[in-house]
Amino acid sequence: MKKNASITSILAMGFMALAMTMPAAGAKWDDTLSPEQVEATLDQKFAEGNYSPKGADSCLMCHKKSEKVMALFDGVHGAIESSKSPMAGLQCEACHGPQGKHNRGGKEPMITFGKDVSLSAEKQNSVCMSCHQDDARMDWQGSHHDNADVACASCHSIHAATDPILEKQNEVEVCSQCHTRQQADMNKRSSHPMKWAQMTCSDCHNPHGSMTDSDLVKPTINDTCYSCHAEKRGPKLWEHAPVTENCANCHNPHGSVNDAMLTKRAPQLCQQCHASDGHASNAYLGNTAQGGEVGNNAFTGGRSCMNCHSQVHGSNHPSGKLLQR
């Protein structure tokens, strides 16, 4: 297998831009090597451009017994016949860097990927981003995951026939390994059907970054919600200010113990704004044993405020000023 000279020069230039000022040529690959020494050694290898003329064949002399390594050839990254695959160019070294003396005595370090490796997430990701530059990833720089030093390989598995996170039933599980608060919310009594994989995190968020708050796929929170809840979009003849401003003023999109994923139950939710508005100025405790009347009180029984003000998302009725019809 032969290497592609043009790809060699591109990758070499990219990693030279990340070069450390103190190269550690000849450093041994062992547990005593600091992350800085590992990166310096790799930069030196890229400067020398010492790629193997045999490509993957040279790597497989040692690594062919590893099921994880060989699984690469079942997926798109190991597809030799594809011109977009690393196997069409520098093969294994397209991602792991030039072999140098890695297979001879010195055991020089190669680029490795994952959470528990010496190479920084920034440099790991620079390898992936050298190919994966498209509209879905154009906002990666400065995104939440980028700022948190999350490596691509922390979520994605390349040496596999199919990347597990691309399966809907796996996506939420992978995301919730870090986003534990959202995992707790989605298991509450009122939530989106994420635990059954009928929805996934990427339905609302772009994990590779976007120009919006919380890396949403739409320009605003409301636009994201309207993708499914189109009946709430409007415009309405009589609008409810907190609704048109932000759905999250009243709802927790990841789940809640209250009906309709409300952040608080009515009437407490409504009284956050309507504290001095006629009958709403009284402190109603709702359906509890702490003073609220149950059954014979329209302010606390049933749907509380929404017993009368049923059109809280807005009304198109000529007499709907109070969102009652």
Side-chain angles (χ1 to χ4, degrees):
M1 298 184 179
K2 297 181 179 180
K3 63 179 182 293
N4 185 302
S6 61
I7 298 179
T8 304
S9 60
I10 292 173
L11 284 175
M13 291 174 63
F15 273 85
M16 279 298 290
L18 296 172
M20 304 292 291
T21 56
M22 295 294 290
K28 301 297 182 182
W29 178 230
D30 56 40
D31 294 336
T32 64
L33 218 60
S34 69
E36 291 77 14
Q37 289 175 311
V38 171
E39 292 189 3
T41 303
L42 290 170
D43 292 330
Q44 181 67 25
K45 290 173 66 177
F46 272 95
E48 295 171 354
N50 190 8
Y51 291 88
S52 168
K54 296 182 180 180
D57 287 343
S58 180
C59 303
L60 294 179
M61 291 177 65
C62 296
H63 296 287
K64 65 181 179 181
K65 293 183 180 180
S66 169
E67 293 183 5
K68 182 178 179 180
V69 170
M70 298 307 293
L72 173 73
F73 297 97
D74 296 326
V76 294
H77 287 83
I80 300 176
E81 69 280 359
S82 172
S83 61
K84 296 181 179 180
S85 167
M87 284 295 143
L90 291 170
Q91 299 163 16
C92 302
E93 292 169 289
C95 298
H96 294 284
Q99 186 183 85
K101 299 178 181 178
H102 175 73
N103 65 336
R104 298 194 303 273
K107 289 292 183 183
E108 290 179 341
M110 303 288 287
I111 298 173
T112 51
F113 301 89
K115 300 178 182 178
D116 304 317
V117 300
S118 298
L119 198 63
S120 67
E122 179 186 5
K123 290 198 174 183
Q124 290 183 52
N125 294 346
S126 68
V127 177
C128 305
M129 297 297 287
S130 65
C131 291
H132 294 282
Q133 288 285 358
D134 53 35
D135 293 345
R137 298 164 184 83
M138 64 185 296
D139 295 310
W140 171 260
Q141 300 294 334
S143 67
H144 287 78
H145 284 146
D146 179 38
N147 289 335
D149 291 328
V150 176
C152 302
S154 296
C155 303
H156 295 280
S157 298
I158 306 306
H159 284 256
T162 303
D163 188 354
I165 201 174
L166 299 182
E167 301 290 338
K168 293 185 67 172
Q169 62 267 29
N170 296 328
E171 182 180 319
V172 175
E173 181 181 353
V174 173
C175 297
S176 60
Q177 290 177 4
C178 295
H179 300 281
T180 53
R181 181 175 179 178
Q182 287 71 23
Q183 181 188 35
D185 286 341
M186 77 180 190
N187 283 293
K188 293 177 179 176
R189 62 181 289 267
S190 177
S191 64
H192 283 115
M194 297 178 66
K195 53 190 172 184
W196 297 288
Q198 294 180 19
M199 279 185 66
T200 61
C201 306
S202 59
D203 288 334
C204 299
H205 302 277
N206 182 346
H208 301 110
S210 73
M211 299 297 290
T212 64
D213 291 338
S214 302
D215 289 334
L216 294 171
V217 295
K218 298 291 184 180
T220 66
I221 291 178
N222 281 20
D223 285 336
T224 303
C225 299
Y226 293 152
S227 298
C228 296
H229 303 282
E231 75 282 2
K232 304 294 192 298
R233 180 186 293 275
K236 305 285 188 178
L237 179 62
W238 304 103
E239 294 184 334
H240 195 185
V243 173
T244 57
E245 179 186 67
N246 189 334
C247 300
N249 285 335
C250 299
H251 301 278
N252 181 344
H254 297 107
S256 169
V257 296
N258 303 306
D259 289 341
M261 295 187 290
L262 293 174
T263 55
K264 291 181 176 63
R265 63 177 180 172
Q268 286 89 346
L269 174 66
C270 306
Q271 288 181 310
Q272 290 181 120
C273 297
H274 301 282
S276 59
D277 182 16
H279 60 261
S281 61
N282 296 320
Y284 299 111
L285 299 177
N287 295 331
T288 72
Q290 302 176 20
E293 296 183 32
V294 179
N296 64 344
N297 191 324
F299 298 148
T300 58
R303 300 177 67 232
S304 186
C305 303
M306 274 128 359
N307 288 333
C308 298
H309 305 281
S310 59
Q311 305 301 311
V312 291
H313 291 99
S315 172
N316 279 321
H317 195 282
S319 299
K321 180 179 180 180
L322 299 179
L323 305 179
Q324 291 178 312
R325 58 180 74 186

